[in-house]
Amino acid sequence: MSQLYFGLHMHQPVDNLSEAVENAVKRCYRPLFQTLKKYPKFRFALHCSGWLFEQLRTKYSDVFEEICYLNEQGSIEFFTGGFYEPVLASIPREDRIAQIQKLSNYIQKYFGKKPNGLWLTERVWESSVALDFQECGIEYVAVDDYHFLASGFDHEELDGFFLSEESGKSFALFPIAKKLRYAIPFYPVDDALQVISSYKNAIIFDDAEKFGLWPKTYEWVYEKGWLESFIEKVLESAIEMKHFAQAQNPKGLAYLANVSYYEMGEWSLRAKDTLELEKLKNRVGKEYFENIGIKFIRGGIWRNFFVKYEESNRLHKRMLDLAKKQKSEALYKLQTNDVYWHGIFGGLYLPNLRDNAYRFVAQCEQNIEDRIEIADKDLDGYKEAEIKKDNLVWRLYEKQGGQIIEILDLDSCFNFQNTLTRRFEAYHEKIFNPPKEQNRVATIHEIAPQVSEEVKNNLFFDWYTKNSCIDHFSDKTFDIQSFLQDSFKEYGDFANQPFKLLELLTFERQGGLYIDQKYPATMKKSYTIDKNSLNLSIDFESSYANELVYINEWNLHFSHYESLLINAKYCCDKMDFFTKELEIIDPYTKKALLFSWNEEAQIFVVPLATVSQNEKGFELTQQGISIAFIFSFTKSFHQDLKLCLK
């Protein structure tokens, strides 16, 4: 006889779009609990992130009341976790404890239960987290079976729970079966039951959103009656429903490798390595990989996302720095995991999630005094200059050209530098080699993408990070299309190479122009920050005697591009000006950005858009606008810029 430990995890990013939450309630949470309410004998565990719990309690009380009813019937065992769903290993220890205790107290307040089980966000396991279990009252944790396989266990051993310890403090580990994650709710009911029955202790703890919100699952799970049929057949069968707290007789001792679920390891690799990993898996064959190779053939760790995406690392290190200065709800909201990584879709690629994160940064900054700090805050070996003056925070980066990496307006809680670089992702390979359609409901890992002509025509990749005040050197072939495509000739080594921070807000590079040979060249960039303005002085000297063009590139982020006014014209795909000044009026933040140069420049404005996956296929997402200020020069030049925000 099989015992079934069934768990559901529910989460929405903090301050997610109201229509996204409404859709999740309509297609998933409401029909899910309406169905479960009919079968109070169906025992299951539930983890819900704190922000979503509050949304259900205050805005969707019918769903919250159904959870309360099932709790009263003894159907639910509650799991705790970080209140705002952080990856626990990525935040300071004191914040980890505070977030777990906050959600545990919430569960105690509204449901009268003290949770002893922990939901580990994205199942990111690092042993350091276990040090805090005892202080938070945690007795057991659900992780993936892959954690055990990566630590030397065999599939056949993972038929129950194990014990582990950290510094002599014991806790239990439950391995979630990947076979069950891929079977429920995607297999026909009888086939899913057969997978359950193949285990003595069948353990599944997975996203509730699979029950209606994932592509094609609403019709399958509710309209075609999969969930009701599944529950009824489980209750009629010899399968025994168990809460995790009822588990007895551990299988033995286990120490886990620092991994997450297998797919997360694939996603955290650089795209080329993800594709090579897939080739390696195909080379050894599916049977060998699933039975033996999975122990040794693996991807990266979750923290690799901080290496893969500079934008993620900046935000994460910003959070760590703020955590040294304060403890606040804004800080804890900033720790929400979704914005720091990117897998099949969403995450870092969603502008609204990044906007939310920087709004929380701004809320934290409102409690901090004006300052100029120069330190390696990104922890990458190079210094950043961080200047807060009045209601603006500017951040300048030594590693990449003395460029601007943050323009944070505290009035509107908006970061105008919150752009995203166009990178090649492993899933872009599907545009050229689409996977075959499945004869069943596909998981998100198997979706055959839909690709529009618009997407194909805008699939461009950047060779440098899309910061602001980037220094390019090209020739007369530089035009608006090559700027859009990032395909122009680059003669300088100033766009993506380090500058030296000489003194307060002055950066210099001894570099070169590479044409028929290297021509030594020097650039100095000096910034001054006044109230609501930035002043920049640029000096350049080289030994190359012929005419070139200098391009000063800015990449700016806004919320509603269709309403932007750029020199009194509504923002469109490509814009071309010849003037000393460029004014951008943003109705969303009610701010105007005015660029003023000391001489007239050719100015190109083009959209900055990424191609990423969504639930239906591929989509084009505007991440910002790219602006090129273009000047002709011979051998040397001096330029002055004033940027005012008003």
Side-chain angles (χ1 to χ4, degrees), residues 320-390:
L320 291 181
D321 187 55
L322 288 167
K324 298 174 185 175
K325 300 173 180 178
Q326 64 179 267
K327 301 302 176 189
S328 63
E329 287 302 300
L331 173 70
Y332 296 148
K333 289 178 180 180
L334 176 58
Q335 295 169 345
T336 303
N337 79 91
D338 311 78
V339 73
Y340 294 102
W341 63 282
H342 176 66
I344 292 291
F345 45 73
L348 182 67
Y349 272 69
L350 295 179
N352 66 296
L353 294 189
R354 300 198 313 277
D355 286 342
N356 288 346
Y358 275 105
R359 185 172 71 255
F360 304 141
V361 171
Q363 289 169 359
C364 291
E365 281 284 1
Q366 288 168 350
N367 300 316
I368 302 174
E369 303 219 342
D370 287 4
R371 67 191 183 279
I372 296 178
E373 294 180 359
I374 296 176
D376 178 17
K377 295 197 173 189
D378 285 353
L379 304 180
D380 59 1
Y382 294 88
K383 295 175 184 176
E384 294 84 48
E386 188 172 283
I387 308 100
K388 182 186 178 187
K389 191 170 181 62
D390 296 319

Coordinates of all heavy atoms in Angstrom, one line a residue, residues 320-390:
L320 N 21.6 43.8 -0.4 CA 22.5 43.4 0.7 C 23.1 44.7 1.4 O 23.2 44.7 2.6 CB 23.7 42.6 0.2 CG 23.3 41.1 -0.3 CD1 24.6 40.4 -0.7 CD2 22.6 40.3 0.8
D321 N 23.4 45.7 0.6 CA 24.0 46.9 1.2 C 22.9 47.7 2.0 O 23.2 48.2 3.1 CB 24.5 47.8 0.0 CG 25.2 49.1 0.6 OD1 26.1 48.9 1.3 OD2 24.8 50.2 0.2
L322 N 21.7 47.7 1.5 CA 20.6 48.3 2.2 C 20.3 47.6 3.5 O 19.9 48.2 4.5 CB 19.3 48.4 1.3 CG 19.4 49.4 0.2 CD1 18.2 49.2 -0.8 CD2 19.4 50.9 0.7
A323 N 20.4 46.2 3.5 CA 20.2 45.4 4.6 C 21.1 45.8 5.8 O 20.8 45.5 7.0 CB 20.2 43.9 4.3
K324 N 22.3 46.3 5.5 CA 23.2 46.7 6.5 C 22.8 48.0 7.2 O 23.2 48.3 8.3 CB 24.6 47.0 5.9 CG 25.2 45.7 5.3 CD 26.5 46.1 4.6 CE 27.2 44.9 3.9 NZ 28.4 45.3 3.1
K325 N 21.9 48.8 6.5 CA 21.5 50.1 7.0 C 20.1 50.1 7.6 O 19.8 51.1 8.4 CB 21.5 51.1 5.8 CG 22.9 51.2 5.2 CD 22.9 52.1 3.9 CE 24.3 52.2 3.3 NZ 24.3 52.9 2.1
Q326 N 19.3 49.1 7.4 CA 17.9 49.2 7.9 C 17.2 47.8 7.8 O 17.7 46.9 7.1 CB 17.1 50.2 7.1 CG 16.9 49.8 5.7 CD 16.0 50.8 4.9 OE1 14.8 50.7 4.8 NE2 16.6 51.9 4.4
K327 N 16.2 47.7 8.6 CA 15.3 46.5 8.5 C 13.9 47.1 8.3 O 13.4 47.9 9.2 CB 15.3 45.6 9.7 CG 16.7 45.0 10.0 CD 17.3 44.2 8.8 CE 18.7 43.7 9.1 NZ 19.3 43.1 7.9
S328 N 13.2 46.8 7.2 CA 12.0 47.4 6.9 C 11.1 46.5 6.0 O 11.7 45.6 5.4 CB 12.2 48.8 6.2 OG 12.8 48.6 4.9
E329 N 9.8 46.8 5.9 CA 9.0 46.0 5.0 C 9.5 46.2 3.5 O 9.4 45.2 2.8 CB 7.5 46.4 5.1 CG 6.9 45.9 6.4 CD 6.9 44.4 6.5 OE1 6.4 43.7 5.7 OE2 7.5 43.9 7.5
A330 N 9.9 47.4 3.2 CA 10.4 47.6 1.8 C 11.6 46.7 1.5 O 11.7 46.2 0.4 CB 10.8 49.1 1.7
L331 N 12.5 46.6 2.5 CA 13.7 45.7 2.3 C 13.2 44.3 2.1 O 13.7 43.6 1.2 CB 14.6 45.8 3.5 CG 15.8 44.8 3.5 CD1 16.8 45.2 2.4 CD2 16.5 44.8 4.9
Y332 N 12.3 43.8 3.0 CA 11.9 42.4 2.9 C 11.2 42.2 1.5 O 11.3 41.1 0.9 CB 11.0 42.0 4.1 CG 11.7 42.1 5.4 CD1 11.0 42.5 6.6 CD2 13.0 41.8 5.5 CE1 11.6 42.5 7.8 CE2 13.7 41.9 6.7 CZ 13.0 42.2 7.9 OH 13.6 42.3 9.1
K333 N 10.4 43.1 1.1 CA 9.7 43.0 -0.2 C 10.8 42.9 -1.4 O 10.6 42.2 -2.3 CB 8.8 44.1 -0.5 CG 7.5 44.1 0.4 CD 6.6 45.3 0.2 CE 5.4 45.2 1.0 NZ 4.5 46.4 0.8
L334 N 11.8 43.7 -1.2 CA 12.9 43.7 -2.2 C 13.6 42.4 -2.3 O 14.2 42.0 -3.3 CB 13.9 44.8 -1.8 CG 15.2 45.0 -2.6 CD1 14.9 45.2 -4.1 CD2 16.1 46.1 -2.1
Q335 N 13.5 41.5 -1.3 CA 14.1 40.2 -1.3 C 13.3 39.2 -2.0 O 13.8 38.0 -2.2 CB 14.4 39.8 0.2 CG 15.4 40.7 0.9 CD 15.5 40.5 2.4 OE1 14.7 39.9 3.0 NE2 16.6 41.1 3.0
T336 N 12.1 39.5 -2.5 CA 11.3 38.5 -3.2 C 12.1 38.0 -4.4 O 12.7 38.7 -5.1 CB 10.0 39.2 -3.8 OG1 9.3 39.8 -2.7 CG2 9.1 38.3 -4.5
N337 N 12.1 36.7 -4.6 CA 13.0 36.0 -5.5 C 12.8 36.3 -7.0 O 13.8 36.2 -7.7 CB 12.9 34.5 -5.2 CG 11.7 33.8 -5.9 OD1 11.8 33.4 -7.1 ND2 10.6 33.8 -5.2
D338 N 11.6 36.5 -7.4 CA 11.2 36.4 -8.8 C 12.1 37.2 -9.8 O 12.5 36.8 -10.9 CB 9.8 36.8 -9.1 CG 8.9 36.0 -8.1 OD1 8.8 36.5 -6.9 OD2 8.2 35.1 -8.5
V339 N 12.5 38.4 -9.3 CA 13.2 39.4 -10.2 C 14.6 39.1 -10.4 O 15.3 39.6 -11.3 CB 13.0 40.8 -9.6 CG1 13.8 41.0 -8.3 CG2 13.3 41.9 -10.6
Y340 N 15.2 38.2 -9.5 CA 16.6 37.9 -9.6 C 17.1 36.8 -10.5 O 18.2 36.6 -10.7 CB 17.1 37.6 -8.1 CG 17.0 38.7 -7.2 CD1 16.0 38.8 -6.2 CD2 17.9 39.8 -7.2 CE1 15.8 39.8 -5.3 CE2 17.8 40.8 -6.3 CZ 16.8 40.8 -5.4 OH 16.6 41.9 -4.5
W341 N 16.1 36.2 -11.2 CA 16.5 35.0 -12.0 C 15.5 34.9 -13.2 O 14.5 35.6 -13.3 CB 16.6 33.7 -11.3 CG 15.3 33.2 -10.7 CD1 14.7 33.7 -9.5 CD2 14.4 32.2 -11.2 NE1 13.5 33.0 -9.3 CE2 13.3 32.1 -10.3 CE3 14.5 31.4 -12.3 CZ2 12.3 31.2 -10.5 CZ3 13.5 30.4 -12.5 CH2 12.4 30.3 -11.6
H342 N 15.9 34.1 -14.2 CA 15.1 33.9 -15.4 C 15.3 32.5 -15.8 O 16.4 32.0 -16.0 CB 15.6 34.9 -16.5 CG 14.9 34.7 -17.8 ND1 13.5 35.0 -17.9 CD2 15.3 34.3 -19.0 CE1 13.2 34.7 -19.2 NE2 14.2 34.3 -19.8
G343 N 14.1 31.8 -16.0 CA 14.2 30.4 -16.5 C 13.5 30.2 -17.8 O 13.9 30.7 -18.9
I344 N 12.3 29.5 -17.8 CA 11.5 29.3 -19.0 C 10.9 30.7 -19.5 O 10.9 31.0 -20.6 CB 10.4 28.3 -18.7 CG1 10.9 26.9 -18.5 CG2 9.4 28.3 -19.9 CD1 11.5 26.3 -19.7
F345 N 10.4 31.5 -18.5 CA 9.9 32.8 -18.9 C 9.8 33.6 -17.6 O 10.0 33.2 -16.5 CB 8.5 32.7 -19.6 CG 7.5 31.8 -19.0 CD1 6.9 32.1 -17.8 CD2 7.1 30.6 -19.6 CE1 5.9 31.3 -17.2 CE2 6.2 29.8 -19.0 CZ 5.6 30.1 -17.8
G346 N 9.5 34.9 -17.9 CA 9.3 35.9 -16.8 C 10.5 36.3 -16.0 O 11.6 36.4 -16.5
G347 N 10.3 36.5 -14.7 CA 11.5 36.8 -13.8 C 12.1 38.2 -14.2 O 11.4 39.2 -14.4
L348 N 13.4 38.2 -14.3 CA 14.2 39.4 -14.6 C 13.7 40.1 -15.9 O 13.9 41.3 -16.0 CB 15.7 39.0 -14.7 CG 16.7 40.1 -14.9 CD1 16.7 41.1 -13.7 CD2 18.0 39.6 -15.2
Y349 N 13.2 39.3 -16.8 CA 12.8 39.9 -18.1 C 11.5 40.7 -18.0 O 11.2 41.4 -19.0 CB 12.6 38.8 -19.1 CG 13.9 38.5 -19.9 CD1 15.0 37.8 -19.2 CD2 14.1 38.8 -21.2 CE1 16.1 37.5 -19.9 CE2 15.2 38.5 -21.9 CZ 16.3 37.8 -21.3 OH 17.4 37.6 -21.9
L350 N 10.8 40.7 -16.9 CA 9.5 41.4 -16.8 C 9.8 42.8 -16.2 O 10.2 42.9 -15.0 CB 8.6 40.6 -15.9 CG 8.1 39.3 -16.4 CD1 7.1 38.6 -15.4 CD2 7.4 39.5 -17.7
P351 N 9.6 43.8 -17.0 CA 9.9 45.2 -16.5 C 9.1 45.6 -15.2 O 9.6 46.3 -14.4 CB 9.5 46.1 -17.7 CG 9.5 45.2 -18.9 CD 9.2 43.8 -18.4
N352 N 7.9 45.1 -15.1 CA 7.1 45.5 -13.9 C 7.7 44.9 -12.7 O 7.6 45.5 -11.6 CB 5.6 45.0 -14.1 CG 5.5 43.5 -14.1 OD1 6.0 42.8 -15.0 ND2 4.8 42.9 -13.1
L353 N 8.3 43.7 -12.7 CA 9.0 43.1 -11.5 C 10.2 44.0 -11.2 O 10.5 44.2 -10.0 CB 9.3 41.7 -11.8 CG 8.2 40.7 -12.0 CD1 8.7 39.3 -11.9 CD2 7.1 40.9 -10.9
R354 N 11.0 44.4 -12.2 CA 12.1 45.2 -11.9 C 11.7 46.6 -11.4 O 12.3 47.2 -10.5 CB 13.0 45.4 -13.1 CG 13.6 44.0 -13.7 CD 14.8 44.2 -14.6 NE 14.6 45.3 -15.6 CZ 14.0 45.1 -16.7 NH1 13.4 43.9 -17.1 NH2 13.9 46.1 -17.6
D355 N 10.6 47.1 -11.9 CA 10.1 48.4 -11.4 C 9.7 48.3 -10.0 O 9.9 49.2 -9.2 CB 8.9 48.9 -12.3 CG 9.3 49.4 -13.6 OD1 10.5 49.7 -13.8 OD2 8.5 49.5 -14.5
N356 N 9.0 47.2 -9.6 CA 8.6 47.0 -8.2 C 9.8 46.9 -7.3 O 9.9 47.5 -6.3 CB 7.8 45.7 -8.1 CG 6.4 45.8 -8.7 OD1 5.9 46.8 -9.0 ND2 5.8 44.6 -8.9
A357 N 10.9 46.2 -7.8 CA 12.1 46.0 -7.0 C 12.7 47.4 -6.7 O 13.1 47.7 -5.6 CB 13.0 45.1 -7.6
Y358 N 12.8 48.2 -7.7 CA 13.5 49.5 -7.6 C 12.6 50.5 -6.8 O 13.0 51.4 -6.2 CB 13.9 50.1 -8.9 CG 15.3 49.6 -9.3 CD1 15.5 48.6 -10.3 CD2 16.4 50.0 -8.6 CE1 16.7 48.1 -10.6 CE2 17.7 49.5 -8.9 CZ 17.8 48.6 -9.9 OH 19.1 48.1 -10.2
R359 N 11.2 50.3 -6.8 CA 10.4 51.0 -6.0 C 10.7 50.7 -4.5 O 10.7 51.6 -3.7 CB 8.9 50.7 -6.3 CG 8.0 51.7 -5.5 CD 6.5 51.5 -5.9 NE 5.9 50.3 -5.5 CZ 5.6 49.3 -6.3 NH1 5.9 49.4 -7.6 NH2 5.1 48.2 -5.9
F360 N 10.9 49.5 -4.2 CA 11.3 49.1 -2.8 C 12.7 49.7 -2.5 O 12.9 50.1 -1.3 CB 11.3 47.6 -2.6 CG 10.0 46.9 -3.0 CD1 9.9 45.7 -3.7 CD2 8.8 47.6 -2.7 CE1 8.7 45.1 -4.0 CE2 7.5 47.0 -3.0 CZ 7.5 45.8 -3.7
V361 N 13.6 49.7 -3.4 CA 14.9 50.3 -3.2 C 14.7 51.8 -2.8 O 15.3 52.3 -1.9 CB 15.8 50.2 -4.4 CG1 17.1 51.1 -4.2 CG2 16.2 48.8 -4.7
A362 N 13.8 52.5 -3.6 CA 13.6 53.9 -3.4 C 12.9 54.1 -2.0 O 13.3 55.1 -1.3 CB 12.7 54.5 -4.5
Q363 N 12.0 53.2 -1.6 CA 11.4 53.4 -0.3 C 12.4 53.2 0.8 O 12.3 53.9 1.8 CB 10.3 52.4 -0.2 CG 9.1 52.7 -1.1 CD 8.0 51.6 -1.1 OE1 8.2 50.5 -0.5 NE2 7.0 51.8 -1.9
C364 N 13.4 52.3 0.6 CA 14.5 52.2 1.6 C 15.3 53.5 1.6 O 15.7 54.0 2.7 CB 15.3 51.0 1.2 SG 14.6 49.4 1.5
E365 N 15.6 54.0 0.4 CA 16.5 55.2 0.3 C 15.9 56.4 0.9 O 16.6 57.3 1.4 CB 16.8 55.5 -1.2 CG 17.9 54.6 -1.8 CD 19.3 55.0 -1.3 OE1 19.4 55.9 -0.6 OE2 20.2 54.3 -1.8
Q366 N 14.6 56.5 1.0 CA 13.9 57.6 1.6 C 14.2 57.8 3.0 O 14.0 58.9 3.6 CB 12.4 57.5 1.3 CG 12.0 57.8 -0.1 CD 10.5 57.4 -0.4 OE1 9.9 56.8 0.4 NE2 10.1 57.7 -1.6
N367 N 14.7 56.7 3.7 CA 15.0 56.8 5.1 C 16.5 57.0 5.3 O 17.0 56.9 6.5 CB 14.6 55.5 5.8 CG 13.1 55.3 5.7 OD1 12.3 56.3 5.9 ND2 12.6 54.1 5.3
I368 N 17.3 57.2 4.2 CA 18.8 57.3 4.3 C 19.2 58.7 3.9 O 18.7 59.3 3.0 CB 19.4 56.3 3.4 CG1 19.0 54.9 3.8 CG2 20.9 56.4 3.6 CD1 19.5 53.8 2.9
E369 N 20.2 59.3 4.6 CA 20.6 60.6 4.4 C 21.4 60.8 3.1 O 21.9 59.8 2.5 CB 21.5 61.1 5.6 CG 20.8 61.0 6.9 CD 21.1 62.2 7.8 OE1 22.1 62.8 7.6 OE2 20.3 62.3 8.7
D370 N 21.5 62.0 2.6 CA 22.4 62.3 1.4 C 23.8 61.8 1.7 O 24.3 61.9 2.8 CB 22.4 63.8 1.1 CG 21.0 64.3 0.5 OD1 20.1 63.4 0.4 OD2 20.9 65.4 0.2
R371 N 24.5 61.4 0.6 CA 25.8 60.9 0.8 C 26.5 60.8 -0.6 O 25.9 60.8 -1.6 CB 25.7 59.5 1.4 CG 25.1 58.4 0.5 CD 24.8 57.1 1.2 NE 24.2 56.2 0.2 CZ 23.0 56.1 -0.2 NH1 22.1 57.0 0.3 NH2 22.6 55.2 -1.0
I372 N 27.8 60.6 -0.5 CA 28.7 60.1 -1.6 C 29.5 59.0 -1.0 O 30.3 59.2 -0.1 CB 29.6 61.2 -2.1 CG1 28.8 62.4 -2.7 CG2 30.5 60.7 -3.2 CD1 29.7 63.5 -3.2
E373 N 29.3 57.8 -1.6 CA 30.0 56.6 -1.2 C 30.7 56.0 -2.4 O 30.1 55.9 -3.4 CB 29.0 55.6 -0.6 CG 28.4 56.0 0.7 CD 27.4 54.9 1.3 OE1 27.3 53.9 0.6 OE2 26.9 55.2 2.4
I374 N 32.0 55.7 -2.2 CA 32.8 55.0 -3.2 C 33.3 53.7 -2.6 O 34.1 53.7 -1.7 CB 33.9 55.9 -3.7 CG1 33.3 57.2 -4.4 CG2 34.8 55.2 -4.7 CD1 34.4 58.2 -4.8
A375 N 32.8 52.6 -3.2 CA 33.2 51.3 -2.7 C 32.8 50.3 -3.7 O 32.0 50.5 -4.6 CB 32.4 51.0 -1.3
D376 N 33.3 49.1 -3.5 CA 33.0 48.0 -4.4 C 31.7 47.3 -3.9 O 31.7 46.2 -3.3 CB 34.1 46.9 -4.4 CG 33.8 45.7 -5.3 OD1 32.8 45.8 -6.1 OD2 34.5 44.7 -5.1
K377 N 30.6 47.9 -4.1 CA 29.3 47.5 -3.6 C 28.8 46.3 -4.3 O 28.0 45.5 -3.8 CB 28.3 48.6 -3.5 CG 28.7 49.7 -2.6 CD 27.5 50.6 -2.2 CE 27.9 51.6 -1.1 NZ 26.8 52.3 -0.6
D378 N 29.2 46.1 -5.6 CA 28.7 45.0 -6.4 C 29.6 43.7 -6.1 O 29.3 42.6 -6.6 CB 28.8 45.3 -7.9 CG 27.7 46.2 -8.3 OD1 26.8 46.4 -7.5 OD2 27.7 46.6 -9.5
L379 N 30.7 43.9 -5.3 CA 31.5 42.8 -4.9 C 32.2 42.1 -6.1 O 32.3 40.9 -6.0 CB 30.8 41.9 -4.0 CG 30.1 42.5 -2.8 CD1 29.4 41.4 -1.9 CD2 31.1 43.2 -1.9
D380 N 32.5 42.8 -7.1 CA 33.1 42.2 -8.3 C 34.6 42.7 -8.5 O 35.2 42.4 -9.6 CB 32.3 42.5 -9.5 CG 32.1 44.0 -9.8 OD1 32.7 44.8 -9.0 OD2 31.5 44.4 -10.8
G381 N 35.1 43.4 -7.5 CA 36.5 43.9 -7.7 C 36.7 45.3 -8.2 O 37.8 45.8 -8.3
Y382 N 35.6 46.0 -8.6 CA 35.6 47.3 -9.1 C 34.7 48.2 -8.3 O 33.7 47.8 -7.7 CB 35.2 47.3 -10.6 CG 36.1 46.6 -11.5 CD1 36.0 45.3 -11.7 CD2 37.2 47.3 -12.1 CE1 36.8 44.6 -12.6 CE2 38.0 46.6 -13.0 CZ 37.9 45.3 -13.2 OH 38.7 44.6 -14.0
K383 N 35.1 49.5 -8.2 CA 34.3 50.4 -7.4 C 33.1 51.0 -8.1 O 33.1 51.2 -9.3 CB 35.3 51.6 -6.9 CG 36.4 51.1 -6.1 CD 37.3 52.3 -5.8 CE 38.6 51.9 -5.0 NZ 39.5 53.0 -4.8
E384 N 32.1 51.3 -7.3 CA 31.0 52.1 -7.7 C 30.9 53.4 -6.9 O 31.3 53.4 -5.7 CB 29.7 51.4 -7.6 CG 29.5 50.1 -8.4 CD 30.2 48.9 -7.7 OE1 29.9 48.7 -6.6 OE2 30.9 48.2 -8.4
A385 N 30.5 54.5 -7.6 CA 30.3 55.7 -6.9 C 28.8 55.9 -6.7 O 28.0 55.8 -7.7 CB 30.9 56.9 -7.7
E386 N 28.3 56.0 -5.5 CA 26.9 56.1 -5.2 C 26.6 57.5 -4.6 O 27.2 57.8 -3.5 CB 26.5 55.0 -4.3 CG 25.0 54.8 -4.0 CD 24.7 53.5 -3.2 OE1 24.8 52.5 -3.8 OE2 24.5 53.6 -2.0
I387 N 25.8 58.3 -5.3 CA 25.6 59.6 -4.8 C 24.1 59.8 -4.6 O 23.3 59.7 -5.5 CB 26.1 60.7 -5.9 CG1 27.5 60.4 -6.3 CG2 25.9 62.1 -5.4 CD1 27.7 59.6 -7.6
K388 N 23.7 60.2 -3.4 CA 22.4 60.6 -3.1 C 22.4 62.1 -2.8 O 23.1 62.5 -1.9 CB 21.8 59.8 -1.9 CG 20.3 60.2 -1.7 CD 19.7 59.6 -0.4 CE 18.3 60.1 -0.3 NZ 17.7 59.7 1.0
K389 N 21.6 62.8 -3.6 CA 21.5 64.2 -3.3 C 20.0 64.6 -3.5 O 19.4 64.4 -4.6 CB 22.4 65.0 -4.3 CG 22.5 66.5 -3.9 CD 23.5 67.2 -4.8 CE 23.7 68.6 -4.4 NZ 24.1 68.9 -3.0
D390 N 19.4 65.1 -2.5 CA 18.0 65.5 -2.5 C 17.2 64.2 -2.8 O 17.3 63.2 -2.1 CB 17.8 66.6 -3.4 CG 18.5 67.9 -3.0 OD1 18.5 68.2 -1.8 OD2 19.1 68.6 -3.8

